[in-house]
Amino acid sequence: MQTVNIHEAKTHLSRLIDKAAKGEAFIIAKAGKPMVKVVPIDEADMPKKRRIGFMKGEISVPDDFDTMMADEIEEMFYGGELLPE
């Protein structure tokens, strides 16, 4: 595994990243002391992108969706019928 010092890593960062992305990990050292290891990210570790419309045809929204359960909700907020005083 290749070891590069910080100055070399800054100078050749693009080249080093390209190599790491192809599977060639490397170590960055400071004054000869290894500090970090750069490795490629596995596809499995990357979050999956959300796809819009991936459930099209699987779910149906009723026509009365905006007013569904309106009576029950109103009763929860205001209670049942008012009792005469």
Side-chain angles (χ1 to χ4, degrees):
M1 183 175 307
Q2 181 182 7
T3 301
V4 296
N5 63 38
I6 291 177
H7 178 71
E8 183 182 356
K10 288 192 299 186
T11 304
H12 302 287
L13 185 60
S14 294
R15 179 178 55 86
L16 292 168
I17 289 174
D18 288 340
K19 289 175 77 173
K22 293 176 184 173
E24 298 179 43
F26 65 94
I27 295 173
I28 298 176
K30 182 176 184 179
K33 179 182 175 189
M35 300 295 288
V36 295
K37 180 178 179 181
V38 180
V39 296
I41 297 176
D42 292 332
E43 288 284 328
D45 293 342
M46 297 178 74
K48 300 286 183 195
K49 292 184 179 179
R50 299 179 97 183
R51 297 175 298 143
I52 295 175
F54 75 99
M55 297 222 23
K56 187 173 184 175
E58 300 290 321
I59 298 172
S60 62
V61 178
D63 293 333
D64 65 343
F65 178 77
D66 293 337
T67 58
M68 284 175 48
M69 310 290 286
D71 295 335
E72 290 84 354
I73 293 170
E74 187 173 331
E75 186 175 329
M76 285 190 281
F77 276 99
Y78 301 111
E81 294 182 26
L82 296 175
L83 298 174
E85 291 181 21

